[in-house]
Amino acid sequence: MGAQKSIHAGKAKIDVNVDLTHKLCTSLMLLPPIPISLCIKHPNLFGGSEKLDVSWDKGLYDSTVLVAYRRPRPEWLPQQCFVLQHVNILSDDGRSITRDMEGFPVTCSGSTHDSMVVLKQESRYAKATNDSFSRFSMQIEQGIPVLSKWLIFNKFKFVATKGLKLGPAFLVASLTGGSIVGDMAPYQAFAVGGLGSVRGYGEGAVGSGRSCLVANSELTLPLTETLNGALFLDCGSDLGSGRLVPGNPALRQGKPGSGTGFGYGLRYKSPIGHLQIDYAMNSFKQKTVFFGISNLGL
């Protein structure tokens, strides 16, 4: 849940986003300062629809500076962009650190930050009818060794989704997976668990690995014009790759590596956005309530 404000300056656009979920937790649990992000976008840098994005994200435990440049390509070709990324890992009190509390490195370079130049390529496919839809996306990232200590890696992620109308109900099933080879820092691991992954677990509580595979299915039924009920089943795994992450944080944090969650929820279309409430149970019979909101009109 968050608030976003956009400011237009000529052809450029400035987006400021504040995570209200962590703001609420801060006031109740005395957590570190709230996450905030600042993004400057230019939609037509050199007059040929070239896009430039410059962003700064300040999270609870990291700070990231990102510069992305995109050139227009025909829709039938994979879309490409170059990204210059600088990641700084922070402690609870906001200081830059090189190791965690158990002495394991938190960056790949061994210093307080990692830098990288990444070539991103993304392909998308979508098809829809009155009773169904299909979507597939594939994203590939290649770390380019500009300097000796900059990260060299290859990472891919895919998402396949199928939706089908079943009488008054609608069934959506999706499969998400990915893997990374080459240089890697713990923060680059695929996190499995939480809302949008395996419900019934906390964020990343199932596992964190070099690879992952997550399957989701959800059946929604209309209750009123603005309210839907939902039944869901999620499962996910790090495919045994948690031990391949530097420092093996998944093992040290007691993550099982695989898990299943199921439950029910409500979907409400409000004037300020789409509200989602889920009640889920996981493989250990632990119960969790998830709350989410999207398309917030602030």
Side-chain angles (χ1 to χ4, degrees):
M1 180 171 64
Q4 180 172 324
K5 178 68 176 179
S6 297
I7 303 171
H8 293 270
K11 293 184 178 180
K13 179 183 178 184
I14 302 174
D15 292 331
V16 180
N17 184 75
V18 178
D19 190 328
L20 300 180
T21 302
H22 289 288
K23 183 177 181 180
L24 176 61
C25 293
T26 302
S27 63
L28 297 178
M29 304 174 60
L30 301 178
L31 292 176
I34 61 175
I36 187 172
S37 63
L38 174 66
C39 182
I40 301 175
K41 301 181 179 181
H42 199 295
N44 192 19
L45 187 62
F46 300 117
S49 298
E50 302 89 350
K51 295 178 174 59
L52 177 68
D53 296 347
V54 181
S55 65
W56 171 65
D57 293 306
K58 173 65 170 62
L60 293 176
Y61 303 109
D62 61 3
S63 176
T64 303
V65 177
L66 184 146
V67 180
Y69 173 72
R70 300 174 177 84
R71 295 181 60 186
R73 306 189 77 193
E75 292 186 1
W76 52 273
L77 288 177
Q79 301 303 303
Q80 294 180 338
C81 74
F82 281 96
V83 178
L84 174 64
Q85 196 170 32
H86 180 89
V87 181
N88 189 30
I89 307 300
L90 306 176
S91 63
D92 290 343
D93 56 5
R95 294 183 297 106
S96 297
I97 58 174
T98 60
R99 296 180 178 272
D100 61 21
M101 296 182 63
E102 299 180 25
F104 291 90
V106 294
T107 61
C108 183
S109 65
S111 65
T112 58
H113 64 272
D114 283 331
S115 297
M116 62 197 85
V117 171
V118 181
L119 173 62
K120 288 187 175 183
Q121 181 169 288
E122 185 171 10
S123 301
R124 293 179 178 271
Y125 165 83
K127 182 180 180 180
T129 66
N130 292 332
D131 299 324
S132 66
F133 72 86
S134 301
R135 290 197 299 261
F136 179 82
S137 66
M138 169 74 80
Q139 186 180 80
I140 298 175
E141 300 181 10
Q142 176 66 59
I144 302 174
V146 176
L147 297 178
S148 60
K149 288 189 176 182
W150 288 27
L151 274 61
I152 309 172
F153 62 89
N154 188 277
K155 179 180 181 181
F156 81 90
K157 180 180 179 180
F158 72 87
V159 181
T161 307
K162 177 69 175 181
L164 183 64
K165 188 175 182 181
L166 301 174
F170 200 83
L171 175 66
V172 177
S174 66
L175 185 67
T176 303
S179 188
I180 180 172
V181 295
D183 294 339
M184 179 186 183
Y187 60 81
Q188 291 180 297
F190 291 96
V192 182
L195 187 63
S197 179
V198 182
R199 285 163 285 191
Y201 293 86
E203 189 70 25
V206 172
S208 53
R210 278 186 175 266
S211 303
C212 76
L213 192 64
V214 176
N216 308 98
S217 59
E218 181 168 299
L219 182 69
T220 56
L221 301 113
L223 303 178
T224 67
E225 289 186 359
T226 58
L227 183 66
N228 289 337
L231 300 172
F232 59 84
L233 173 66
D234 303 329
C235 57
S237 171
D238 64 8
L239 302 177
S241 64
R243 58 185 176 82
L244 303 178
V245 177
N248 199 349
L251 176 65
R252 291 187 285 122
Q253 296 169 14
K255 298 181 180 181
S258 63
T260 301
F262 60 92
Y264 55 88
L266 295 173
R267 309 288 182 264
Y268 176 66
K269 299 178 182 179
S270 74
I272 65 170
H274 297 273
L275 305 179
Q276 174 179 342
I277 300 176
D278 287 330
Y279 177 83
M281 179 183 292
N282 64 24
S283 305
F284 302 98
K285 297 184 179 180
Q286 297 169 330
K287 303 175 180 66
T288 310
V289 176
F290 293 92
F291 173 77
I293 185 170
S294 61
N295 298 329
L296 192 65
L298 296 179

Coordinates of all heavy atoms in Angstrom, one line a residue, residues 10 23 31 72 79 99 120 161 201 203 205 209 229 270 273 289:
G10 N 8.2 20.3 -17.9 CA 8.5 20.3 -19.3 C 8.1 18.9 -19.8 O 7.0 18.4 -19.6
K23 N 5.1 2.7 6.8 CA 4.9 3.8 7.6 C 4.0 3.4 8.8 O 4.3 3.8 9.9 CB 4.2 4.9 6.8 CG 4.0 6.2 7.6 CD 3.4 7.3 6.8 CE 3.2 8.6 7.6 NZ 2.7 9.7 6.8
L31 N 10.0 0.7 13.7 CA 11.0 0.2 12.7 C 11.8 1.3 12.2 O 11.5 2.5 12.4 CB 10.2 -0.6 11.6 CG 9.6 -1.9 12.0 CD1 8.8 -2.4 10.9 CD2 10.6 -2.9 12.5
P72 N 13.3 2.9 -28.8 CA 12.1 2.3 -29.4 C 12.4 1.2 -30.4 O 13.4 1.3 -31.2 CB 11.4 3.4 -30.0 CG 12.5 4.4 -30.4 CD 13.5 4.3 -29.3
Q79 N 12.0 -6.0 -26.5 CA 12.4 -4.7 -26.0 C 13.6 -4.7 -25.2 O 13.8 -5.6 -24.4 CB 11.2 -4.1 -25.2 CG 9.9 -4.0 -26.0 CD 10.0 -3.2 -27.3 OE1 10.4 -2.1 -27.3 NE2 9.7 -3.9 -28.4
R99 N 29.1 -6.8 5.9 CA 28.7 -8.1 6.3 C 27.5 -8.0 7.2 O 27.2 -7.0 7.8 CB 29.9 -8.7 7.1 CG 31.2 -8.9 6.2 CD 32.3 -9.5 7.0 NE 33.5 -9.8 6.1 CZ 33.6 -10.9 5.4 NH1 32.7 -11.9 5.5 NH2 34.7 -11.0 4.6
K120 N 19.0 -5.4 -20.5 CA 17.8 -6.1 -20.2 C 17.0 -6.2 -21.5 O 17.0 -5.3 -22.4 CB 16.9 -5.3 -19.3 CG 17.3 -5.3 -17.8 CD 16.3 -4.6 -16.9 CE 16.7 -4.7 -15.5 NZ 15.6 -4.1 -14.6
T161 N 0.6 -16.9 -17.8 CA -0.7 -16.8 -17.1 C -1.8 -17.2 -18.0 O -1.8 -16.8 -19.2 CB -0.9 -15.4 -16.6 OG1 0.2 -14.9 -15.8 CG2 -2.2 -15.3 -15.8
Y201 N 2.7 -17.6 3.9 CA 4.0 -17.3 4.4 C 4.3 -15.8 4.3 O 3.7 -15.1 3.6 CB 5.0 -18.1 3.5 CG 5.0 -19.6 3.6 CD1 4.1 -20.3 2.8 CD2 5.8 -20.3 4.5 CE1 4.0 -21.7 2.8 CE2 5.7 -21.7 4.6 CZ 4.8 -22.4 3.7 OH 4.8 -23.7 3.8
E203 N 6.9 -12.6 3.5 CA 7.7 -12.2 2.3 C 9.0 -13.0 2.3 O 9.9 -12.8 3.2 CB 7.9 -10.7 2.3 CG 8.5 -10.2 1.0 CD 7.5 -10.3 -0.2 OE1 6.3 -10.3 0.1 OE2 8.0 -10.4 -1.3
A205 N 9.6 -16.1 3.0 CA 9.8 -17.0 4.1 C 9.9 -18.5 3.6 O 10.3 -19.3 4.4 CB 8.6 -16.9 5.1
G209 N 16.7 -18.4 -3.4 CA 17.7 -19.2 -4.1 C 18.1 -18.6 -5.4 O 17.6 -17.5 -5.8
G229 N -15.7 -13.0 -4.2 CA -15.1 -13.9 -3.3 C -14.0 -14.7 -4.1 O -14.1 -14.8 -5.3
S270 N -13.1 -0.3 -5.1 CA -13.5 0.9 -4.4 C -13.1 2.1 -5.3 O -12.3 2.0 -6.2 CB -12.8 1.0 -3.1 OG -11.4 1.3 -3.2
G273 N -9.3 2.5 -5.4 CA -8.4 1.4 -5.9 C -9.1 0.0 -5.6 O -10.2 -0.1 -5.1
V289 N -3.2 -13.4 7.5 CA -4.1 -12.6 6.8 C -3.3 -11.6 6.0 O -2.4 -10.9 6.5 CB -5.1 -11.8 7.8 CG1 -5.9 -10.8 7.0 CG2 -5.9 -12.8 8.6

